[in-house]
Amino acid sequence: MTKLENSTMERPFHREHRSTVGTFTSDNPRIVCRSVDVYYGEKHAVQNINIDVGRHQVIALIGPSGCGKSTFLRCLNRMNDTIPDCRVTGDISMDGIAINGPEVDVVPLRAQVGMVFQKPNPFPKSIFENVAYGPRIHGLASNPSDLEEIVENSLRRAGLWDEVKDRLPQPGTGLSGGQQQRLCIARTIAVNPEVILMDEPCSALDPIATAKIEQLIDELRALYTIVIVTHSMQQAARVSQRTAFFHLGHLIEVGETAQVFTNPQHQLTEEYITGRFG
Amino acid sequence: MEKSTLFLLILLGSTIAYMRTTWRARTLAETSGRKLHSLPGFYGYYTALWCALPGLLLLLLWLLGEGSLLTAGALARLPESFLDGAAPEKIQLLVNDIKSIAQGSFEGQIDPAIQMAADRFSELTQWSRILLTVLSITASLSGLLFAQTRINPDFRARNHVETVVRVVLIGCALTAIFTTVGIVLSVLIESLRFFNMVPITDFLFGLKWSPQIAMRADQAGSSGAFGVIPLLLGTLLISTVALVVAVPIGLLSAIYLSEYATPNFRAIAKPLIEILAGIPTVVYGFFAALVVAPFLRNMGAEIGLEISSESALAAGLVMGIMIIPFVSSLSDDFINAVPQSLRDGAYALGATQSETIRQVVIPAALPGIVGGILLAASRAIGETMIVVMAAGLSANLTLNPLAAVTTVTTQIVTLLVGDQEFDSPKTLAAFALGLILFILTLCLNILALRIVRKYREQYE
């Protein structure tokens, strides 16, 4: 108990303080979110989120299970539209253009904002067709050799080309878990997005596959803006430049990753990153 | 004592044995202060089983063997002259006479020799009854006593009871298996008899089906033709029409229900569609024969098409409606079984809902859907009532759905309706047709189950 009292003394914001601390704005923002709320039916799942996502940056969303970080992530490419009863309010804009209104066409939006899921979910098609699917539905390739080039480039960028170049016609579901996840990343970058959302992309993978994906994320930063939800604080520390800590639907603290992990402002953040709950 | 009374008595005895032994085991545990190996109830079951099983087994044995022993005893009293060289049918008649005299229900002149045999029969029946009563009660009681002597805290009653339970379970499973094997064997053996009369090649490859057998040898058309090809072709034609109707409607309605419909609409529509499967086929049959067929014929006449009043089209259309629920229900299940993560993956790439369904969901569910369609097809092939009423009896070798055709099932019905000699090729042909039908649907079912199982492995 004394320790808790001590830390309360150290931290300027105690546990009950629930508005965002730290710098939520970014100098060069790609996505700007202001007063975003998400409701599942009557449940107010995500409350009053204000955050900027900087260009060519990796921002990690951390927090205990059920804190709303995945729900918030799914606002950025309107995936919450597929859940009945789910309502998103507030302003979300990408490069200055609002993306949360009912008038926004989600098809081009989702082509710009790709998503990688927690569990690798390759389509039950060949490796080639998995990557070629996005370019096909968006008409990105004018002829078969273009398509082959897109597929090869995407697989190369996802670091999978050398492992699969001789087995492109085989089913994507036959790959190992880590390979499947990199296939899903290749599939996502094949449509040439600007932002990639990753929802706990390594939680179903072993440490070696995780290390490969993390390295990949670092490389992809040069070309894309990445928002990653993760349960692993080490992962957040390793791959991200900024970190946002969510708790019970609130964005508690956001800031430079190094700063959030070494000198958290809020008591809840400090307790979470030191493993006292979560 | 009557057998039924005896049966009830044994059951009553074992119930009492159960209650008494359970109580005894409980007091035994209390008085001796030791822990019983099994719960008291198991000691009760153990004793009850030892009480019931020996008596019931004896009863069963009697039921199986008594009749033939009694008649053998009665016939032994008849003078030699009655039995020498008599045909088996004749002896059967004699036995029936003896039994009805013994029961006092015979009317007419009674031969004294037969009367004697009948008296012997009644006498033997009496003895048999007394013997059975004494034996089965003794058996039950000694079983009971034996079980009682074994009740002590170390006795593993639960293990013994569970062995018996396992034997009963095995018995039930075997009953189902042996019944199937029995049916298949009997169909097979009768078919072999048929193939002795009609060469198997004629049957399998013959193009003409006309199973008339002459009453006299010199009658015109005395030799029937038993070529199964027209029947198979008719069956396949009607099934194809049915599938052409059922697959698109069933599949598309399944897609609508599982992907587009609101939960409320789905909750109402799905049971309504499944009601189609619950309509008796005979209702479909007269609907086909009395409504659809005349409608089609009139329509055909309007546009200058000649449609027979009993057409493959009418039967196939109605049969197609009948199997819609098979296709839609199974497809719906398999579409729902496609993981949401695959849909999310497609949506996240910017695919529209219809693109997602066409290019991701349906291909993923396809093996299951194909399995469902094959099950519906085997159902269509085996369907009888609709085709009997709507498709006609003329075995035309044609692929024209507007003509009258006949099917394997229809012909089985017509072959067996009415008075038939059991050993004529005409009757036996039904078994051969049954065999063909069985093999056909069996192959389809195996194929369908294989595909469905493969699909399951993929996602579980």
Side-chain angles (χ1 to χ4, degrees):
Chain A
M1 214 44 212
T2 48
K3 183 137 201 288
L4 210 74
E5 276 158 17
N6 283 342
S7 64
T8 316
M9 305 272 282
E10 281 165 23
R11 302 292 150 196
F13 303 101
H14 57 83
R15 296 181 62 116
E16 279 68 39
H17 182 90
R18 302 198 70 81
S19 60
T20 311
V21 299
T23 20
F24 64 82
T25 53
S26 170
D27 297 338
N28 185 11
R30 170 146 262 162
I31 299 177
V32 175
C33 304
R34 292 293 177 268
S35 352
V36 175
D37 290 86
V38 184
Y39 304 84
Y40 289 119
E42 292 298 303
K43 189 173 174 266
H44 198 169
V46 167
Q47 303 181 20
N48 192 28
I49 305 290
N50 297 290
I51 194 171
D52 287 0
V53 177
R55 212 170 285 270
H56 298 306
Q57 259 194 348
V58 178
I59 181 165
L61 313 183
I62 61 171
S65 299
C67 67
K69 53 193 191 302
S70 291
T71 302
F72 173 70
L73 185 76
R74 292 165 64 94
C75 296
L76 303 180
N77 68 343
R78 298 278 299 269
M79 279 302 279
N80 284 329
D81 288 15
T82 62
I83 301 172
D85 278 3
C86 184
R87 207 153 49 79
V88 180
T89 62
D91 299 320
I92 306 173
S93 63
M94 191 165 84
D95 297 327
I97 300 161
I99 59 173
N100 196 34
E103 70 288 346
V104 176
D105 184 1
V106 297
V107 168
L109 171 67
R110 287 179 187 157
Q112 283 180 314
V113 185
M115 187 163 188
V116 177
F117 295 85
Q118 184 172 0
K119 225 179 121 204
N121 57 350
F123 301 133
K125 300 173 188 280
S126 71
I127 294 170
F128 183 89
E129 284 301 323
N130 260 286
V131 184
Y133 182 72
R136 268 191 220 280
I137 58 175
H138 293 294
L140 297 184
S142 48
N143 56 52
S145 65
D146 264 10
L147 190 63
E148 281 168 30
E149 206 184 309
I150 293 176
V151 171
E152 182 179 339
N153 282 336
S154 309
L155 285 169
R156 273 189 198 285
R157 271 192 234 159
L160 193 60
W161 175 252
D162 291 331
E163 290 162 59
V164 301
K165 63 179 182 224
D166 301 322
R167 46 196 284 212
L168 292 178
Q170 290 173 24
T173 45
L175 297 171
S176 75
Q179 288 173 324
Q180 287 190 14
Q181 195 61 300
R182 277 179 285 151
L183 179 65
C184 292
I185 293 175
R187 181 176 78 183
T188 305
I189 57 188
V191 291
N192 213 8
E194 289 157 26
V195 180
I196 300 177
L197 311 177
M198 296 187 172
D199 190 356
E200 298 180 37
C202 302
S203 64
L205 304 182
D206 63 69
I208 295 171
T210 302
K212 280 191 180 164
I213 304 264
E214 285 180 7
Q215 194 197 341
L216 179 61
I217 291 172
D218 207 42
E219 289 164 18
L220 292 173
R221 182 159 62 92
L223 295 162
Y224 311 100
T225 300
I226 295 173
V227 185
I228 177 170
V229 166
T230 176
H231 259 127
S232 152
M233 280 170 283
Q234 289 85 347
Q235 184 170 64
R238 281 192 299 262
V239 301
S240 71
Q241 283 73 54
R242 290 173 77 219
T243 296
F245 171 66
F246 283 70
H247 184 254
L248 297 177
H250 293 274
L251 175 56
I252 298 295
E253 178 163 356
V254 56
E256 300 295 321
T257 298
Q259 200 246 313
V260 169
F261 278 98
T262 53
N263 185 23
Q265 304 284 303
H266 199 288
Q267 193 196 336
L268 278 169
T269 318
E270 200 248 347
E271 284 176 19
Y272 182 70
I273 60 175
T274 52
R276 229 171 292 159
F277 74 92
Chain B
M1 220 182 286
E2 285 295 330
K3 289 190 191 70
S4 49
T5 328
L6 208 54
F7 177 74
L8 289 178
L9 192 72
I10 292 173
L11 285 192
L12 185 72
S14 71
T15 315
I16 294 171
Y18 166 76
M19 296 194 291
R20 216 188 96 75
T21 317
T22 309
W23 172 77
R24 235 193 74 187
R26 205 170 281 137
T27 33
L28 183 67
E30 280 164 12
T31 51
S32 69
R34 289 176 60 195
K35 196 175 168 337
L36 296 178
H37 170 270
S38 315
L39 291 174
F42 281 108
Y43 293 92
Y45 283 126
Y46 178 75
T47 323
L49 285 170
W50 261 111
C51 176
L53 288 182
L56 292 183
L57 272 178
L58 261 174
L59 207 59
L60 186 71
L61 237 112
W62 232 262
L63 277 176
L64 294 176
E66 187 186 28
S68 51
L69 281 177
L70 290 184
T71 43
L75 288 178
R77 280 297 168 88
L78 282 178
E80 294 282 311
S81 59
F82 272 91
L83 299 174
D84 273 353
E89 293 88 350
K90 194 85 183 229
I91 293 179
Q92 190 57 48
L93 279 177
L94 214 57
V95 169
N96 286 345
D97 284 352
I98 292 172
K99 279 184 185 167
S100 38
I101 294 168
Q103 281 163 12
S105 61
F106 189 83
E107 285 168 15
Q109 203 69 38
I110 299 174
D111 190 306
I114 295 181
Q115 179 65 55
M116 225 162 73
D119 291 345
R120 175 71 178 159
F121 185 84
S122 320
E123 189 186 343
L124 282 175
T125 312
Q126 286 293 337
W127 277 113
S128 151
R129 191 172 293 170
I130 292 165
L131 194 64
L132 172 64
T133 311
V134 171
L135 275 183
S136 57
I137 289 179
T138 318
S140 281
L141 281 180
S142 43
L144 178 70
L145 290 177
F146 169 72
Q148 292 278 340
T149 60
R150 298 188 67 179
I151 305 299
N152 67 63
D154 293 327
F155 180 63
R156 306 185 164 204
R158 173 168 46 79
N159 305 30
H160 287 272
V161 170
E162 278 170 3
T163 310
V164 175
V165 169
R166 204 173 65 222
V167 170
V168 170
L169 295 182
I170 292 173
C172 290
L174 287 182
T175 309
I177 293 169
F178 282 132
T179 314
T180 316
V181 171
I183 291 173
V184 171
L185 278 184
S186 99
V187 169
L188 198 67
I189 288 167
E190 299 295 339
S191 303
L192 288 179
R193 278 176 70 192
F194 172 73
F195 292 135
N196 281 336
M197 297 178 211
V198 176
I200 187 164
T201 46
D202 286 8
F203 176 72
L204 286 181
F205 305 112
L207 298 180
K208 192 164 179 297
W209 175 264
S210 143
Q212 271 63 28
I213 293 294
M215 304 294 273
R216 305 183 311 274
D218 57 343
Q219 216 169 7
S222 59
S223 62
F226 291 96
V228 81
I229 295 290
L231 305 189
L232 281 182
L233 216 56
T235 305
L236 293 181
L237 182 63
I238 290 181
S239 305
T240 309
V241 174
L243 288 177
V244 166
V245 173
V247 170
I249 296 181
L251 188 55
L252 296 181
S253 66
I255 290 173
Y256 177 73
L257 286 181
S258 60
E259 298 285 325
Y260 291 97
T262 61
N264 288 336
F265 180 78
R266 186 184 145 87
I268 298 169
K270 209 176 173 201
L272 279 183
I273 290 178
E274 275 159 11
I275 283 179
L276 281 179
I279 298 175
T281 55
V282 66
V283 175
Y284 278 115
F286 66 69
F287 178 66
L290 301 180
V291 180
V292 177
F295 172 76
L296 284 178
R297 200 168 70 129
N298 294 341
M299 284 275 288
E302 296 275 324
I303 57 172
L305 266 178
E306 192 168 324
I307 301 181
S308 148
S309 62
E310 291 177 322
S311 65
L313 189 62
L317 279 179
V318 174
M319 198 192 280
I321 290 168
M322 184 192 80
I323 60 177
I324 283 174
F326 289 84
V327 178
S328 81
S329 217
L330 279 166
S331 306
D332 188 46
D333 289 348
F334 284 108
I335 290 173
N336 276 328
V338 172
Q340 181 63 30
S341 68
L342 283 185
R343 293 187 184 89
D344 283 349
Y347 289 140
L349 286 173
T352 64
Q353 190 170 17
S354 81
E355 279 167 344
T356 305
I357 292 167
R358 269 185 293 127
Q359 295 158 355
V360 175
V361 177
I362 298 297
L366 197 61
I369 293 172
V370 170
I373 291 172
L374 287 182
L375 286 180
S378 78
R379 172 80 207 229
I381 288 172
E383 168 51 38
T384 312
M385 217 53 227
I386 295 174
V387 282
V388 166
M389 294 168 100
L393 293 174
S394 47
N396 293 326
L397 188 66
T398 175
L399 279 176
N400 175 11
L402 306 181
V405 294
T406 189
T407 69
V408 177
T409 49
T410 314
Q411 287 306 315
I412 294 178
V413 172
T414 44
L415 286 174
L416 295 181
V417 168
D419 288 340
Q420 305 287 350
E421 275 184 89
F422 195 69
D423 51 357
S424 80
K426 190 176 164 184
T427 317
L428 290 175
F431 286 96
L433 290 180
L435 188 67
I436 290 268
L437 202 59
F438 174 72
I439 291 171
L440 209 61
T441 49
L442 184 70
C443 290
L444 270 181
N445 282 346
I446 289 175
L447 193 65
L449 289 178
R450 230 160 230 266
I451 293 172
V452 170
R453 193 177 308 145
K454 200 174 158 202
Y455 170 79
R456 291 238 164 93
E457 280 164 7
Q458 207 176 336
Y459 287 114
E460 275 169 14

